[in-house]
Amino acid sequence: MISKYVKATNKLSYKAMCNYFRIMRQIDQNESGINVYNDQRFSVLNGLNEESSVEEFLSRVNGDSFLKERYNSLVPTFLENSLHTDKHYVINLDLLEKSQALKFTVLNQSGVLNRFVSLDNLLPMTFYDCSFYQKRPQWEWPVYIDEEMVYFSRFTESFYLFDKEGSWVDEGVGHPLLSIDRNYDEYKWHDSYRMF
């Protein structure tokens, strides 16, 4: 009986993995994007990416008082990421027009990472949906997290969080690919995905 469930789960995992690689092949990660959101207070971290050393990242964080305070206040979020729910603190967001995807530059416990999400897999969420999704006690969110701007990747089941003091760029926000009419179909995504 158990083996029947294991086979079904493995089959689903294999399909999800194939779907993930199909989507990632469609996204040109070197495409220059249209800036949608940025937080200039994190400009000290410009030039860092997945290949940068942790030591270089931490030396930049410790060298800037604002960054050090912000990083330390995000430690509980980093811990939650490793325990159960992926929540990413976004410091830059670019629209990849040809790929119809978004490139999230996120702050992680060990550096700056780029996350690519297809527009078809991204949903706006409420703060309460994010809280209920975890189904476990969680630490309070830092006061600077914008509770109105929470996005969820259906494919990776990750949340993307923004700072209240970050800057939204009119050119990127007003792009036709990001229009409400094109991307926000409440009935479609509420019926297809349940948080609890």
PDB file of all heavy atoms in Angstrom, residues 36-56:
ATOM      1  N   VAL A  36      11.779  47.401 -11.941  1.00  0.00           N
ATOM      2  CA  VAL A  36      10.436  47.578 -11.403  1.00  0.00           C
ATOM      3  C   VAL A  36      10.511  48.100  -9.968  1.00  0.00           C
ATOM      4  O   VAL A  36       9.725  48.956  -9.568  1.00  0.00           O
ATOM      5  CB  VAL A  36       9.647  46.250 -11.445  1.00  0.00           C
ATOM      6  CG1 VAL A  36       8.275  46.409 -10.831  1.00  0.00           C
ATOM      7  CG2 VAL A  36       9.547  45.731 -12.864  1.00  0.00           C
ATOM      8  N   TYR A  37      11.473  47.590  -9.197  1.00  0.00           N
ATOM      9  CA  TYR A  37      11.599  47.945  -7.780  1.00  0.00           C
ATOM     10  C   TYR A  37      13.080  47.919  -7.419  1.00  0.00           C
ATOM     11  O   TYR A  37      13.829  47.068  -7.889  1.00  0.00           O
ATOM     12  CB  TYR A  37      10.841  46.927  -6.923  1.00  0.00           C
ATOM     13  CG  TYR A  37      11.092  47.015  -5.438  1.00  0.00           C
ATOM     14  CD1 TYR A  37      10.320  47.856  -4.626  1.00  0.00           C
ATOM     15  CD2 TYR A  37      12.097  46.270  -4.838  1.00  0.00           C
ATOM     16  CE1 TYR A  37      10.557  47.929  -3.266  1.00  0.00           C
ATOM     17  CE2 TYR A  37      12.335  46.338  -3.479  1.00  0.00           C
ATOM     18  CZ  TYR A  37      11.556  47.179  -2.698  1.00  0.00           C
ATOM     19  OH  TYR A  37      11.796  47.249  -1.346  1.00  0.00           O
ATOM     20  N   ASN A  38      13.497  48.874  -6.592  1.00  0.00           N
ATOM     21  CA  ASN A  38      14.856  48.816  -6.054  1.00  0.00           C
ATOM     22  C   ASN A  38      14.908  49.531  -4.721  1.00  0.00           C
ATOM     23  O   ASN A  38      14.069  50.359  -4.412  1.00  0.00           O
ATOM     24  CB  ASN A  38      15.894  49.380  -7.033  1.00  0.00           C
ATOM     25  CG  ASN A  38      15.653  50.833  -7.337  1.00  0.00           C
ATOM     26  OD1 ASN A  38      15.568  51.656  -6.439  1.00  0.00           O
ATOM     27  ND2 ASN A  38      15.535  51.162  -8.607  1.00  0.00           N
ATOM     28  N   ASP A  39      15.890  49.164  -3.963  1.00  0.00           N
ATOM     29  CA  ASP A  39      16.127  49.794  -2.668  1.00  0.00           C
ATOM     30  C   ASP A  39      17.578  50.255  -2.662  1.00  0.00           C
ATOM     31  O   ASP A  39      18.494  49.451  -2.508  1.00  0.00           O
ATOM     32  CB  ASP A  39      15.852  48.809  -1.535  1.00  0.00           C
ATOM     33  CG  ASP A  39      15.689  49.491  -0.189  1.00  0.00           C
ATOM     34  OD1 ASP A  39      16.219  50.610  -0.033  1.00  0.00           O
ATOM     35  OD2 ASP A  39      15.042  48.914   0.692  1.00  0.00           O
ATOM     36  N   GLN A  40      17.774  51.545  -2.875  1.00  0.00           N
ATOM     37  CA  GLN A  40      19.120  52.103  -3.007  1.00  0.00           C
ATOM     38  C   GLN A  40      19.954  51.966  -1.741  1.00  0.00           C
ATOM     39  O   GLN A  40      21.169  52.058  -1.788  1.00  0.00           O
ATOM     40  CB  GLN A  40      19.041  53.582  -3.419  1.00  0.00           C
ATOM     41  CG  GLN A  40      18.547  53.784  -4.826  1.00  0.00           C
ATOM     42  CD  GLN A  40      19.448  53.127  -5.852  1.00  0.00           C
ATOM     43  OE1 GLN A  40      20.668  53.113  -5.723  1.00  0.00           O
ATOM     44  NE2 GLN A  40      18.842  52.540  -6.878  1.00  0.00           N
ATOM     45  N   ARG A  41      19.313  51.727  -0.616  1.00  0.00           N
ATOM     46  CA  ARG A  41      20.064  51.576   0.638  1.00  0.00           C
ATOM     47  C   ARG A  41      20.931  50.320   0.624  1.00  0.00           C
ATOM     48  O   ARG A  41      21.835  50.171   1.424  1.00  0.00           O
ATOM     49  CB  ARG A  41      19.104  51.555   1.829  1.00  0.00           C
ATOM     50  CG  ARG A  41      18.318  52.867   1.958  1.00  0.00           C
ATOM     51  CD  ARG A  41      17.202  52.760   2.940  1.00  0.00           C
ATOM     52  NE  ARG A  41      16.260  51.720   2.517  1.00  0.00           N
ATOM     53  CZ  ARG A  41      15.298  51.251   3.290  1.00  0.00           C
ATOM     54  NH1 ARG A  41      15.155  51.699   4.512  1.00  0.00           N
ATOM     55  NH2 ARG A  41      14.482  50.329   2.855  1.00  0.00           N
ATOM     56  N   PHE A  42      20.661  49.434  -0.323  1.00  0.00           N
ATOM     57  CA  PHE A  42      21.445  48.200  -0.441  1.00  0.00           C
ATOM     58  C   PHE A  42      22.472  48.271  -1.559  1.00  0.00           C
ATOM     59  O   PHE A  42      23.006  47.260  -1.984  1.00  0.00           O
ATOM     60  CB  PHE A  42      20.507  47.004  -0.667  1.00  0.00           C
ATOM     61  CG  PHE A  42      19.679  46.675   0.532  1.00  0.00           C
ATOM     62  CD1 PHE A  42      18.428  47.243   0.692  1.00  0.00           C
ATOM     63  CD2 PHE A  42      20.148  45.817   1.496  1.00  0.00           C
ATOM     64  CE1 PHE A  42      17.651  46.952   1.807  1.00  0.00           C
ATOM     65  CE2 PHE A  42      19.390  45.518   2.615  1.00  0.00           C
ATOM     66  CZ  PHE A  42      18.144  46.093   2.769  1.00  0.00           C
ATOM     67  N   SER A  43      22.777  49.485  -2.029  1.00  0.00           N
ATOM     68  CA  SER A  43      23.735  49.635  -3.133  1.00  0.00           C
ATOM     69  C   SER A  43      25.127  49.138  -2.764  1.00  0.00           C
ATOM     70  O   SER A  43      25.932  48.824  -3.637  1.00  0.00           O
ATOM     71  CB  SER A  43      23.794  51.100  -3.586  1.00  0.00           C
ATOM     72  OG  SER A  43      24.219  51.925  -2.517  1.00  0.00           O
ATOM     73  N   VAL A  44      25.423  49.035  -1.474  1.00  0.00           N
ATOM     74  CA  VAL A  44      26.711  48.493  -1.022  1.00  0.00           C
ATOM     75  C   VAL A  44      26.890  47.057  -1.521  1.00  0.00           C
ATOM     76  O   VAL A  44      28.013  46.601  -1.749  1.00  0.00           O
ATOM     77  CB  VAL A  44      26.776  48.527   0.534  1.00  0.00           C
ATOM     78  CG1 VAL A  44      28.006  47.837   1.058  1.00  0.00           C
ATOM     79  CG2 VAL A  44      26.704  49.952   1.029  1.00  0.00           C
ATOM     80  N   LEU A  45      25.778  46.353  -1.736  1.00  0.00           N
ATOM     81  CA  LEU A  45      25.835  44.948  -2.151  1.00  0.00           C
ATOM     82  C   LEU A  45      25.870  44.773  -3.666  1.00  0.00           C
ATOM     83  O   LEU A  45      25.900  43.637  -4.146  1.00  0.00           O
ATOM     84  CB  LEU A  45      24.639  44.184  -1.570  1.00  0.00           C
ATOM     85  CG  LEU A  45      24.523  44.176  -0.053  1.00  0.00           C
ATOM     86  CD1 LEU A  45      23.259  43.453   0.374  1.00  0.00           C
ATOM     87  CD2 LEU A  45      25.745  43.555   0.579  1.00  0.00           C
ATOM     88  N   ASN A  46      25.861  45.877  -4.425  1.00  0.00           N
ATOM     89  CA  ASN A  46      25.900  45.772  -5.884  1.00  0.00           C
ATOM     90  C   ASN A  46      27.138  44.998  -6.324  1.00  0.00           C
ATOM     91  O   ASN A  46      28.222  45.167  -5.777  1.00  0.00           O
ATOM     92  CB  ASN A  46      25.897  47.157  -6.535  1.00  0.00           C
ATOM     93  CG  ASN A  46      24.553  47.831  -6.438  1.00  0.00           C
ATOM     94  OD1 ASN A  46      23.568  47.215  -6.048  1.00  0.00           O
ATOM     95  ND2 ASN A  46      24.502  49.099  -6.782  1.00  0.00           N
ATOM     96  N   GLY A  47      26.952  44.158  -7.300  1.00  0.00           N
ATOM     97  CA  GLY A  47      28.059  43.357  -7.818  1.00  0.00           C
ATOM     98  C   GLY A  47      28.178  41.987  -7.171  1.00  0.00           C
ATOM     99  O   GLY A  47      28.891  41.131  -7.675  1.00  0.00           O
ATOM    100  N   LEU A  48      27.477  41.776  -6.053  1.00  0.00           N
ATOM    101  CA  LEU A  48      27.516  40.451  -5.426  1.00  0.00           C
ATOM    102  C   LEU A  48      26.482  39.551  -6.092  1.00  0.00           C
ATOM    103  O   LEU A  48      25.425  40.003  -6.519  1.00  0.00           O
ATOM    104  CB  LEU A  48      27.210  40.547  -3.927  1.00  0.00           C
ATOM    105  CG  LEU A  48      28.232  41.272  -3.057  1.00  0.00           C
ATOM    106  CD1 LEU A  48      27.769  41.269  -1.611  1.00  0.00           C
ATOM    107  CD2 LEU A  48      29.599  40.628  -3.166  1.00  0.00           C
ATOM    108  N   ASN A  49      26.782  38.271  -6.156  1.00  0.00           N
ATOM    109  CA  ASN A  49      25.840  37.288  -6.696  1.00  0.00           C
ATOM    110  C   ASN A  49      26.085  35.949  -6.018  1.00  0.00           C
ATOM    111  O   ASN A  49      26.788  35.882  -5.008  1.00  0.00           O
ATOM    112  CB  ASN A  49      25.954  37.196  -8.223  1.00  0.00           C
ATOM    113  CG  ASN A  49      27.358  36.838  -8.663  1.00  0.00           C
ATOM    114  OD1 ASN A  49      28.104  36.170  -7.952  1.00  0.00           O
ATOM    115  ND2 ASN A  49      27.732  37.295  -9.844  1.00  0.00           N
ATOM    116  N   GLU A  50      25.531  34.892  -6.603  1.00  0.00           N
ATOM    117  CA  GLU A  50      25.639  33.561  -5.999  1.00  0.00           C
ATOM    118  C   GLU A  50      27.084  33.082  -5.864  1.00  0.00           C
ATOM    119  O   GLU A  50      27.399  32.294  -4.994  1.00  0.00           O
ATOM    120  CB  GLU A  50      24.852  32.525  -6.822  1.00  0.00           C
ATOM    121  CG  GLU A  50      23.356  32.651  -6.709  1.00  0.00           C
ATOM    122  CD  GLU A  50      22.764  33.593  -7.745  1.00  0.00           C
ATOM    123  OE1 GLU A  50      23.542  34.293  -8.445  1.00  0.00           O
ATOM    124  OE2 GLU A  50      21.533  33.651  -7.855  1.00  0.00           O
ATOM    125  N   GLU A  51      27.948  33.551  -6.761  1.00  0.00           N
ATOM    126  CA  GLU A  51      29.333  33.086  -6.738  1.00  0.00           C
ATOM    127  C   GLU A  51      30.234  33.882  -5.797  1.00  0.00           C
ATOM    128  O   GLU A  51      31.384  33.517  -5.575  1.00  0.00           O
ATOM    129  CB  GLU A  51      29.913  33.112  -8.152  1.00  0.00           C
ATOM    130  CG  GLU A  51      29.525  31.864  -8.933  1.00  0.00           C
ATOM    131  CD  GLU A  51      28.825  32.192 -10.240  1.00  0.00           C
ATOM    132  OE1 GLU A  51      29.279  33.134 -10.904  1.00  0.00           O
ATOM    133  OE2 GLU A  51      27.851  31.519 -10.559  1.00  0.00           O
ATOM    134  N   SER A  52      29.732  34.976  -5.257  1.00  0.00           N
ATOM    135  CA  SER A  52      30.536  35.786  -4.334  1.00  0.00           C
ATOM    136  C   SER A  52      30.741  35.024  -3.032  1.00  0.00           C
ATOM    137  O   SER A  52      29.880  34.256  -2.607  1.00  0.00           O
ATOM    138  CB  SER A  52      29.837  37.115  -4.043  1.00  0.00           C
ATOM    139  OG  SER A  52      29.598  37.814  -5.238  1.00  0.00           O
ATOM    140  N   SER A  53      31.861  35.272  -2.401  1.00  0.00           N
ATOM    141  CA  SER A  53      32.150  34.556  -1.153  1.00  0.00           C
ATOM    142  C   SER A  53      31.320  35.114   0.000  1.00  0.00           C
ATOM    143  O   SER A  53      30.961  36.298   0.010  1.00  0.00           O
ATOM    144  CB  SER A  53      33.637  34.653  -0.814  1.00  0.00           C
ATOM    145  OG  SER A  53      33.967  35.975  -0.443  1.00  0.00           O
ATOM    146  N   VAL A  54      31.034  34.264   0.953  1.00  0.00           N
ATOM    147  CA  VAL A  54      30.281  34.662   2.143  1.00  0.00           C
ATOM    148  C   VAL A  54      31.084  35.703   2.931  1.00  0.00           C
ATOM    149  O   VAL A  54      30.512  36.646   3.480  1.00  0.00           O
ATOM    150  CB  VAL A  54      29.954  33.436   3.024  1.00  0.00           C
ATOM    151  CG1 VAL A  54      29.263  33.848   4.313  1.00  0.00           C
ATOM    152  CG2 VAL A  54      29.103  32.442   2.261  1.00  0.00           C
ATOM    153  N   GLU A  55      32.396  35.546   2.961  1.00  0.00           N
ATOM    154  CA  GLU A  55      33.246  36.486   3.703  1.00  0.00           C
ATOM    155  C   GLU A  55      33.132  37.892   3.127  1.00  0.00           C
ATOM    156  O   GLU A  55      33.038  38.873   3.870  1.00  0.00           O
ATOM    157  CB  GLU A  55      34.714  36.024   3.679  1.00  0.00           C
ATOM    158  CG  GLU A  55      34.982  34.765   4.469  1.00  0.00           C
ATOM    159  CD  GLU A  55      34.558  33.489   3.741  1.00  0.00           C
ATOM    160  OE1 GLU A  55      34.393  33.518   2.488  1.00  0.00           O
ATOM    161  OE2 GLU A  55      34.367  32.468   4.421  1.00  0.00           O
ATOM    162  N   GLU A  56      33.136  38.001   1.788  1.00  0.00           N
ATOM    163  CA  GLU A  56      32.998  39.324   1.160  1.00  0.00           C
ATOM    164  C   GLU A  56      31.635  39.926   1.480  1.00  0.00           C
ATOM    165  O   GLU A  56      31.519  41.112   1.794  1.00  0.00           O
ATOM    166  CB  GLU A  56      33.187  39.209  -0.351  1.00  0.00           C
ATOM    167  CG  GLU A  56      33.104  40.539  -1.063  1.00  0.00           C
ATOM    168  CD  GLU A  56      33.224  40.427  -2.574  1.00  0.00           C
ATOM    169  OE1 GLU A  56      33.415  39.305  -3.090  1.00  0.00           O
ATOM    170  OE2 GLU A  56      33.097  41.474  -3.230  1.00  0.00           O
TER     171      GLU A  56
END
